[in-house]
Amino acid sequence: MLSRSGVLIGLFSANLLLMLGLAHLVVHRYNDPFPPLSVSLSSPVATLSDFGGIALGFRKLTADLAWVQTILYYGTHEEGGDAEEVEQGGGRYPLFLAYCERVVQIDPNFIHAYFYGAGVLGWNLNRLDEAEKFLQEGIQAHPKEWRLHQFLAALAFQKNHDINKLVEFLEGFNEQEDCPNMLRSILANIYKKQKRYRESIRVWSKVYETGDPTYAEHSLAQIREMAPLAHTEPINRS
């Protein structure tokens, strides 16, 4: 008959073997879809709350919160900045790329961050090299996401000042339901510069109809500004 200590030792050994077996399954059978913690927290703007959210298993929620902070950072007026430049989407915002990378390092499937971030960097902030770098990171993480490849090509049109190719690209993107409003605003501004007021109003109207609070006031102001000009625009353009 086994002694009490013998039974305890047997139970302990069984539990130990079970734990070792589970650990082996975790290591060899389970592929974590997310980057390691050292990568997820490598952004210079990473916070302690990022660590807490990841540790508790709330990566997607943590990435959502990080994205809100990214938008707030870019939407905050810079001290000493030119008001008109900021109104047109310009400015400096030196940490903008770091904020965007923070989001995708927490949740690599937050693909919208690549489009919006590269668009702001490439067109609004005129930091084309950073925009290309960020898109290439997105392509490496999502090689089958063909729109990222297209976006990278559009930046090449911007670099080469090929406005016609750029407009053609943006027009194709504009018709997609999930097109970021930031891209639509770029197309609308190009139309405005070309005095194609009706087309610019059409695009701004589409932006306004999305109900995006980030663009609601600005898109409506643009429509009101160009409405009188549209009446003077020839219907048939040469």
Side-chain angles (χ1 to χ4, degrees):
M1 185 172 179
L2 290 174
S3 65
R4 180 181 175 85
S5 60
V7 171
L8 290 175
I9 292 172
L11 289 173
F12 175 78
S13 300
N15 284 329
L16 180 61
L17 288 172
L18 178 61
M19 291 175 63
L20 290 172
L22 289 173
H24 176 81
L25 286 174
V26 168
V27 171
H28 295 281
R29 297 293 180 86
Y30 176 69
N31 293 319
D32 190 348
F34 298 111
L37 198 58
S38 59
V39 174
S40 297
L41 300 175
S42 61
S43 170
V45 294
T47 67
L48 186 60
S49 63
D50 295 344
F51 171 78
I54 293 170
L56 292 172
F58 299 127
R59 273 190 183 260
K60 292 187 181 300
L61 177 59
T62 304
D64 287 340
L65 293 174
W67 183 245
V68 170
Q69 291 169 357
T70 302
I71 299 301
L72 289 174
Y73 170 72
Y74 183 57
T76 302
H77 179 70
E78 291 181 314
E79 291 293 331
D82 183 89
E84 183 177 353
E85 182 186 24
V86 172
E87 176 67 21
Q88 297 301 318
R92 295 180 298 275
Y93 300 98
L95 295 175
F96 183 74
L97 176 59
Y99 269 93
C100 291
E101 288 185 326
R102 170 195 177 198
V103 174
V104 295
Q105 285 164 356
I106 295 172
D107 181 7
N109 294 318
F110 204 123
I111 296 179
H112 177 76
Y114 290 111
F115 291 112
Y116 185 90
V120 169
L121 289 165
W123 281 285
N124 292 0
L125 302 180
N126 198 30
R127 284 150 57 181
L128 290 168
D129 290 342
E130 289 185 17
E132 287 181 340
K133 172 182 177 289
F134 192 44
L135 278 175
Q136 286 165 353
E137 290 174 3
I139 290 170
Q140 185 175 1
H142 303 278
K144 294 183 180 180
E145 180 54 71
W146 57 271
R147 294 179 302 170
L148 290 173
H149 295 271
Q150 279 196 331
F151 210 113
L152 191 61
L155 285 175
F157 301 147
Q158 172 79 358
K159 265 189 169 182
N160 297 328
H161 305 289
D162 191 339
I163 196 67
N164 293 328
K165 285 285 188 182
L166 179 57
V167 168
E168 182 181 339
F169 164 81
L170 292 173
E171 286 174 338
F173 242 95
N174 179 53
E175 298 306 319
Q176 299 179 25
E177 288 300 319
D178 59 348
C179 174
N181 280 329
M182 192 273 304
L183 285 185
R184 290 189 175 119
S185 71
I186 293 169
L187 178 61
N189 286 328
I190 292 174
Y191 282 152
K192 182 180 179 182
K193 289 179 180 179
Q194 295 177 335
K195 299 184 178 180
R196 298 162 65 177
Y197 303 118
R198 290 191 185 91
E199 292 173 273
S200 183
I201 289 173
R202 176 177 58 81
V203 178
W204 278 123
S205 297
K206 195 162 189 174
V207 171
Y208 183 76
E209 288 168 2
T210 65
D212 185 345
T214 307
Y215 289 91
E217 185 177 341
H218 184 67
S219 58
L220 192 57
Q222 289 294 305
I223 292 168
R224 288 172 174 169
E225 177 188 337
M226 285 183 286
L229 299 172
H231 292 299
T232 64
E233 181 185 359
I235 295 177
N236 295 320
R237 301 182 59 86
S238 57

